[in-house]
Structure formats: C-alpha cells, structure tokens
Amino acid sequence: MGRDVFYITTPIYYPNDVPHIGHGYTSVAADFLARYHRLRGEEVLFLTGTDEHGLNIQRRAEAAGIDPQAWVDEMAPRWKEVWAGLDIAYDDYIRTTEPRHEKAVQRLLTAVHENGRDDIYLGTYEGLYCVSCEAYYTEDELVDGMCPIHGRPVERMVEENYFFRLSAYAVRLLEHYETHPKAVQPETRRNEVLSLIRGGLQDFSISRTNFRWGIPLPWDPNHVCYVWFDALTNYITAAGYGTDEERFARVWPADVHLIGKDILRFHAVYWPAMLMAGGVEPPDQVWAHGFLTVGGQKMSKTNATGIHPFELTEHFGVDSYRYYFMREIQFGQDGSFSWESMVDRHNADLANGLGNLASRILAMLGSSFDGVVPEPGAQGVEDDLPALIADVGRRYDEHMSELALSQALAAVWEVVGRANGYLVERQPWNVAKDEARRAELAAILYASAETLRILAILIGPIMPGAAQRLWDQLGIEQPLDAQRLPSAAAWGGLPPGTKTAKGDALFPRLDS
Ligand code: MSP
C-alpha cells in the first residue's frame, strides 16, 4: 500500500483553455499542501498536468491547420508558464499524450475487460452531445435547447460504444464509503456522492468511433478511449501503473485527489468503480473545493469572466496572491473575488501585519545590536509567545490535515498579531534608551527575532518567496528548505550571534 509517499494530485487541465484564476485556485491549494507535507519531512509526489485527447482538441487543431500532437505541444507550455509564475512546485507533470499514459490506460482497460464479469460491453448510444463538454445531455437538461454550460447548440449523435458497467458497483461503492468515512470530503460532498449512488447508477460509455484523437482500445482499435477512462487514469500512470510496479506499490493509493466540485461525480463514483473493476485500490480521499465566482457564477473562459493569474500577480506579487485565495475563502465553499478585498487583505495581514512586524524587529536589532542576535538572557521576558507558538503549531497541523486551509493561516496570523502586541507592551524602543536595561532589551529582541524565525518557517508553504526573503534578512546559516516541522518550530532555535540585515519591505503597502 502506498503509504510511503504523500501523493497529491490536481485535475489535469484542458490545454485548449487559457488558464484563469479558477484553475490557479486548485493548483495553489495543492501546492500549499504539498509544501506543507515536505516541510514535515514527508516524501511528496505532487502531480499536475494536461488532458490532451478528445474531439474538442482534434477540432481546435484542425481549425489551426496542424495535427493534434503539434497543437497540444504548443499549448502545454502555456500552462507550465503559469504554474512557474505561481510558484507551483509540482514533482511530475503528466501529459496524457505521453507513451507511459497510453500504456497505463490500455493496461487498466484490459484488466477491466478481462475481469470475467463482463464489465465492459458493446452497446449503442444515441444522445444530444455538446462538443465543448464532451458530454451527452438529456432534453430536459438543456437550457433553451442549448448546452447548459456553454450555451451552444448540441448535436444528435448515434454510435456504437463500449460501456462500463457502473450499475454493478453501487453496493461496493456504498460499502467503501461506509468503511472509509473520510474518502470524500468535505461532508456535504460526501453526502452528495452517497445520494448519487443510492439514486441508482447508469453505465457510461467509454469509447468513440467518431474521432481518432485518443488512445485505441486494446481489443478493438477502431474505437478510441473516451474521456474518463483516459483522463482519470493519469493518476495511476504517474504512480507507475503499467510501467513500474515497484514504484506503484510505494506510491498508490493517492492520499488526496484535490478537485473542483464540478468533477466530483467522475472522481468519487466513476473512478473508484473503475479501479475496483481493474483490481486496483481506490484513492484514499477525493476532496472537492468550491468555485471562484464572478457575479455569483463560476468563473470561466466561456462566460468571459476568466481573469489570467498574471493580471493579479503583477500588481500584488505571487505571495500575496497565494495568501489571499487561501485565506479569504473557506476551502470547500464558493468564494467571490474582488480587487478591493485583495488590497485590504494585502495591507492588513501582510504589509501592516507580518511585514511591519519584521521591519520593526530587524530595524531595532540593527540600531541596538548592530544587527547581531543577542543572547536570550533573562527568562520570562518572552511572555506568552512560546506557549502561543506551540499551541498554534498544533492547530496548524490539525487544520492542514483536514484541509481547513484558511483556518491554518488564521492560526499563524494569531502569532503575527500577538507579536505586534508584544512589541507595543514591551516597548523595546523605550527600553533601548536606558543603558541599565540592556539585558531586558536583549531578551525582548531575542524573543521577537525568534518569533520571526518560526513565522518564516510556518509561512513557507503558502508564501515560499516571502519566507525566503525573511529568512535571508534574518541571516540564519542553515537553509530554510532544510527546516523540518515540528522540531524547527520549537522555541529557542535561533542561534545568538546570527547576523541579521534589514532589507526591503517584505510587502509594500498598496493603494486601494
Ligand atoms: N480535464 C478535466 C479534469 C480531468 S481530471 C482527471 C477538467 N479540466 S478543467 O481544466 O476544466 O478544470 C480543471 C480544474 O479547475 C477543476 O478542478 C475545476 O473545478 C477547476 N476550476 C475551473 N474553474 C474554476 C473556478 N471558477 N473555480 C474553482 N475551480 C475551478 O475538468
């Protein structure tokens, strides 16, 4: 069982689309979690990638007058650029057009096809099809005769398809979710999934003959594999399924598939059933977050509400961007984005909060001790800071383990608030005027700088750039990325004698 590695995935994105901050939302959350687990000293596999097959892609390539492979080769780097700009440190980037993926898909299909239960069978499909969704709709799902998502005309299609016998898996799925209560989260999504399953499951089509841009079915290459058997399988491909069984045993099952709620059914109903049929364990957890909304609607390219992440990072910086979305929105719920609230968060929590704290402390160390961290000296002067930090460390872990990402950050910012309050109470700028209170001043500034050190470690997963800049200003010899929780956050780790150097403001204030 894959318990050796913390394995986290995002969905694979359609490379046709231009990335917007809705896509960025899934990826930033996954990166925040992945970095947190690395900070805990765990081996992490963080997977993202692009979903490169299908009629939609084939048509876009035709329109561009190039073959589909050339088209996706052109598109995939655009996504990688965005992830680089958002400091998304994935360990593996999968493209479903890679040979390793073709192998895995064919292997899973074969395993299901040959499982002796007739779980894949040939049937005919007739329905109303939206090319953009790559999905069929029933009459009453249409809005004014158009696709409910894209508002575009649907096409009547009749074809011979292979089907997957999802209907045979209801009981096993319910059993699985009863014995694994955390396998779908949050709780509202779990309930949704349970009622979907209880409502009755229909077999779904897994192949197409009306286009070629896909992975051929091993037993009938006139058919190409259609959407979900191709896309979902990426998660086991990257773990080594079909190519490296030893690695697969170490990595799989995934700890968490992080997704948006629109693709919950596929991840929490189709996917575990497909795996069961193929003799593979289901993932430990599917965690479905909400939507970034604009005017109450899901932000998307098709309704022209997609904002490119770089439009925001240019103004706010990538750290502030990452912090805002993870702090402002309760992870799991929908959330709206506004420029004003982003400016407010930036100024309150970052510029006036953490940034101001760091600059005050580093300035005082500079003026009173030539920047050199003094001995902690007198006990007790640190007040409740060590106890608060220990408590926050525990709560941070708890929240991260439940993906209560906003609460985790709120807990860390309790330390920021308390440390700013500590300075106001202890008044080091006044203490510094009295030569007789030198030991007290040393103790206050040691406690303050030690708090900054721990903060730099705790904010690393959400704001890797700012954490590093703060660490550099603190002048600590050991590298930041060698720090490991929980030991690195234990009080007293800052070596006296460390040469700090106040630098540029961590977060310049923004005009609203
Ligand atoms: N290719 C499929 C997923 C296959 S996974 C095996 C797909 N791709 S997508 O590019 O359309 O969406 C990828 C992810 O972005 C999904 O998790 C989706 O929920 C998320 N988001 C897209 N728009 C979003 C918002 N406006 N808000 C939050 N997340 C959003 O679906």
Side-chain angles (χ1 to χ4, degrees):
M1 256 166 261
R3 292 289 176 278
D4 299 354
V5 178
F6 181 79
Y7 183 22
I8 177 169
T9 66
T10 72
I12 44 174
Y13 300 90
Y14 294 124
N16 273 345
D17 293 347
V18 180
H20 59 63
I21 60 178
H23 304 118
Y25 187 69
T26 312
S27 288
V28 166
D31 186 67
F32 179 20
L33 264 170
R35 288 178 187 267
Y36 166 77
H37 283 271
R38 288 189 200 110
L39 180 58
R40 306 231 8 128
E42 294 167 55
E43 188 185 341
V44 172
L45 172 57
F46 167 22
L47 174 72
T48 191
T50 29
D51 192 353
E52 303 189 345
H53 288 130
L55 184 53
N56 216 7
I57 303 265
Q58 184 179 305
R59 288 197 178 161
R60 289 284 293 271
E62 279 161 8
I66 56 178
D67 73 58
Q69 188 64 55
W71 171 255
V72 293
D73 286 349
E74 228 173 78
M75 294 295 124
R78 294 198 194 176
W79 286 81
K80 288 191 173 179
E81 247 170 52
V82 171
W83 303 144
L86 294 181
D87 280 349
I88 305 295
Y90 49 77
D91 299 291
D92 192 359
Y93 188 99
I94 190 162
R95 298 183 52 191
T96 52
T97 49
E98 290 172 66
R100 60 172 170 161
H101 185 60
E102 177 156 346
K103 284 201 187 100
V105 169
Q106 293 192 328
R107 161 109 194 257
L108 181 64
L109 282 167
T110 304
V112 178
H113 191 231
E114 293 176 355
N115 73 4
R117 293 193 295 271
D118 222 14
D119 276 343
I120 292 179
Y121 63 92
L122 197 59
T124 22
Y125 196 96
E126 176 173 0
L128 300 165
Y129 187 75
C130 169
V131 172
S132 297
C133 299
E134 301 192 44
Y136 283 94
Y137 287 97
T138 59
E139 292 284 356
D140 47 273
E141 282 170 331
L142 300 180
V143 176
D144 301 327
M146 307 281 191
C147 162
I149 308 243
H150 296 94
R152 290 167 38 170
V154 291
E155 301 169 23
R156 178 160 294 278
M157 300 231 282
V158 185
E159 53 180 324
E160 196 175 55
N161 288 170
Y162 285 94
F163 283 78
F164 173 65
R165 205 179 296 283
L166 182 66
S167 55
Y169 284 86
V171 171
R172 283 186 66 184
L173 285 170
L174 286 174
E175 263 170 28
H176 172 68
Y177 287 129
E178 253 150 52
T179 49
H180 300 83
K182 294 278 177 194
V184 182
Q185 286 291 301
E187 223 38 40
T188 48
R189 303 293 162 223
R190 172 183 157 83
N191 294 334
E192 228 175 276
V193 166
L194 291 177
S195 64
L196 269 174
I197 302 170
R198 289 190 189 118
L201 298 178
Q202 286 184 3
D203 299 348
F204 64 90
S205 143
I206 65 161
S207 75
R208 286 291 183 272
T209 50
N210 65 325
F211 65 88
R212 293 309 307 155
W213 185 237
I215 296 173
L217 299 190
W219 63 89
D220 187 351
N222 288 327
H223 288 247
V224 294
C225 179
Y226 160 73
V227 187
W228 294 107
F229 254 92
D230 182 335
L232 289 161
T233 304
N234 91 86
Y235 302 131
I236 54 175
T237 303
Y241 183 79
T243 50
D244 184 344
E245 291 312 311
E246 221 172 281
R247 177 176 145 80
F248 187 61
R250 285 186 65 238
V251 171
W252 191 260
D255 292 75
V256 53
H257 291 321
L258 201 61
I259 59 166
K261 64 182 183 182
D262 50 337
I263 48 180
L264 178 64
R265 169 201 298 261
F266 310 112
H267 282 76
V269 183
Y270 288 22
W271 180 226
M274 287 158 56
L275 290 168
M276 286 169 181
V280 180
E281 251 190 283
D284 278 357
Q285 188 173 67
V286 171
W287 215 102
H289 64 67
F291 289 153
L292 282 193
T293 57
V294 179
Q297 283 207 322
K298 180 188 179 196
M299 173 179 292
S300 77
K301 186 195 62 175
T302 14
N303 49 25
T305 51
I307 300 169
H308 193 282
F310 292 170
E311 287 178 49
L312 298 180
T313 53
E314 272 163 22
H315 190 76
F316 293 93
V318 56
D319 292 304
S320 181
Y321 175 103
R322 291 167 58 105
Y323 176 76
Y324 171 78
F325 286 107
M326 294 299 110
R327 177 66 187 87
E328 185 75 12
I329 299 166
Q330 293 296 315
F331 201 62
Q333 289 167 21
D334 289 351
S336 63
F337 146 84
S338 84
W339 189 268
E340 295 71 29
S341 70
M342 206 164 168
V343 171
D344 288 349
R345 270 277 171 216
H346 176 96
N347 284 338
D349 295 7
L350 304 183
N352 298 344
L354 179 58
N356 187 39
L357 177 72
S359 81
R360 282 159 105 187
I361 295 169
L362 289 161
M364 281 182 295
L365 276 169
S367 59
S368 299
F369 293 96
D370 281 331
V372 177
V373 174
E375 294 286 339
Q379 290 273 305
V381 180
E382 66 277 17
D383 294 346
D384 58 339
L385 282 170
L388 176 69
I389 287 171
D391 181 50
V392 162
R394 274 190 299 275
R395 282 188 279 137
Y396 185 57
D397 287 342
E398 256 171 51
H399 292 314
M400 290 304 281
S401 73
E402 308 211 310
L403 275 73
L405 304 180
S406 177
Q407 285 88 325
L409 294 173
V412 174
W413 257 257
E414 282 177 36
V415 177
V416 174
R418 179 66 197 111
N420 269 317
Y422 174 78
L423 293 180
V424 172
E425 287 162 24
R426 285 283 179 175
Q427 307 258 322
W429 42 89
N430 284 334
V431 178
K433 291 177 192 153
D434 186 349
E435 205 37 50
R437 297 172 73 187
R438 195 75 188 149
E440 183 189 345
L441 179 66
I444 297 170
L445 291 184
Y446 181 88
S448 306
E450 171 60 349
T451 303
L452 275 186
R453 179 190 70 85
I454 295 169
L455 281 170
I457 294 167
L458 295 180
I459 66 168
I462 187 66
M463 299 195 287
Q468 187 60 55
R469 291 198 300 281
L470 176 54
W471 196 259
D472 291 343
Q473 294 191 17
L474 285 168
I476 298 166
E477 233 169 77
Q478 284 180 13
L480 176 58
D481 59 16
Q483 307 305 305
R484 292 290 171 264
L485 286 181
S487 58
W491 185 262
L494 179 63
T498 301
K499 183 81 179 79
T500 67
K502 185 175 177 312
D504 293 340
L506 285 178
F507 307 102
R509 249 192 93 81
L510 295 172
D511 295 330
S512 38

